């Protein structure tokens, strides 16, 4: 908290309720939050709540200050997992405080921020691969041979129901199916999906 007041002596505390969204992935930060107390869940949100959690932060700590340091958008969503006490600092003020640091200290801070971002990128990438593996397994388990001997899946349920079975968000399922089409592992965009490379799907599923 001491550092917060060095950056902004007028910083005031805010009380946030459990479930309140603090960060949205893909959005450039216009402020940075310091969690005085409470717990924040990090991951990928679905329509209403956290679909895939990859970690938590316990206050006192900064919340994804690395994105402000590097001038890059957030990689993950952040939601209050408990009631929070926070301080916020405008991104411009935070960057000015960094610019006023000695060159060596600023270089170290940038390196630490980049290392943290790479770890986060790895966690998000691993989550995406797990979603692809689950989807590949589901397709294989629901596939039947057609009249011409080809493997195919008839989608008899809505995609939101299938996504719920897989434990992923509907938009994640749509993205995974698109990726599988681009990799020429499946084809079709209606109710019938042809498995044009079952061997690659088995490898993806870990069979």
């Amino acid at each position: 908290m001491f550092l917060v007041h060095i950056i902004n002596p007028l910083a005031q505390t805010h009380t946030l309720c459990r479930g309140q969204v603090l960060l949205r992935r893909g959005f450039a930060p216009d402020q940075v939050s310091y969690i005085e107390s409470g717990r924040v869940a990090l991951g990928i949100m679905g329509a209403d709540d956290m679909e895939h959690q990859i970690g938590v932060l316990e206050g006192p700590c900064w919340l994804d200050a690395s994105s402000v340091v590097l001038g890059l958008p957030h990689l993950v969503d952040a939601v209050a997992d408990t009631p929070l006490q926070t301080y916020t600092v405008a991104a411009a003020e935070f960057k000015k405080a960094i610019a006023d640091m000695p060159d060596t200290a600023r270089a170290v801070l940038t390196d630490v921020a980049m290392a943290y971002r790479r770890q986060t990128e790895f966690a998000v990438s691993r989550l995406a691969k797990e979603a692809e593996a689950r989807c590949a397994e589901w397709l294989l388990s629901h596939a039947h041979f057609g009249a011409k001997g080809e493997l195919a899946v008839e989608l008899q349920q809505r995609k939101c129901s299938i996504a719920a079975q897989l434990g992923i968000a509907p938009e994640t399922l749509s993205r995974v199916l698109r990726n599988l089409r681009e990799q020429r592992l499946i084809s079709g965009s209606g109710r019938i999906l042809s498995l044009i490379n079952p061997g690659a799907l088995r490898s993806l599923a870990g069979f």
Side-chain angles (χ1 to χ4, degrees):
M1 185 178 70
F2 176 68
L3 181 57
V4 175
H5 287 290
I6 291 177
I7 298 172
N8 183 355
L10 301 179
Q12 299 293 318
T13 185
H14 305 281
T15 301
L16 304 180
C17 300
R18 184 179 185 276
Q20 190 161 341
V21 178
L22 287 81
L23 302 179
R24 281 288 192 180
R25 60 195 171 101
F27 285 83
D30 57 2
Q31 64 181 27
V32 59
S33 297
Y34 182 83
I35 309 302
E36 176 73 0
S37 64
R39 184 174 64 247
V40 176
L42 304 175
I44 307 299
M45 289 195 67
D48 300 310
D49 54 12
M50 189 68 75
E51 289 281 353
H52 303 290
Q53 186 171 317
I54 62 175
V56 295
L57 290 176
E58 294 269 3
C61 64
W62 289 98
L63 176 59
D64 194 21
S66 61
S67 292
V68 179
V69 172
L70 300 172
L72 295 171
H74 299 297
L75 287 172
V76 296
D77 300 311
V79 179
D81 201 35
T82 66
L84 301 177
Q85 296 291 325
T86 72
Y87 294 86
T88 57
V89 178
E93 293 181 48
F94 195 82
K95 290 179 180 178
K96 182 179 183 303
I98 294 172
D100 291 340
M101 296 171 64
D103 291 345
T104 302
R106 188 166 63 250
V108 170
L109 180 61
T110 301
D111 287 346
V112 171
M114 183 58 71
Y116 174 82
R117 189 171 183 87
R118 285 171 180 161
Q119 287 181 335
T120 305
E121 287 174 338
F122 175 76
V124 172
S125 174
R126 184 174 61 184
L127 187 64
K129 290 179 181 178
E130 289 175 355
E132 284 193 348
R134 273 179 270 173
C135 187
E137 182 179 1
W138 187 92
L139 289 170
L140 289 166
S141 65
H142 288 77
H144 299 281
F145 285 102
K148 297 180 179 180
E150 78 284 0
L151 275 175
V153 174
E154 182 179 359
L155 302 180
Q156 298 178 340
Q157 307 172 58
R158 298 179 61 185
K159 285 186 178 179
C160 59
S161 298
I162 298 172
Q165 293 176 38
L166 297 175
I168 60 178
E171 57 265 31
T172 301
L173 175 60
S174 296
R175 186 178 68 249
V176 168
L177 292 175
R178 183 172 63 251
N179 291 342
L180 295 179
R181 291 189 192 95
E182 291 173 353
Q183 296 174 54
R184 298 191 60 78
L185 303 187
I186 65 173
S187 65
S189 56
R191 293 187 60 188
I192 305 296
L193 296 179
S194 297
L195 311 191
I196 56 180
N197 194 337
L201 286 170
R202 291 190 188 94
S203 296
L204 186 59
F207 289 171

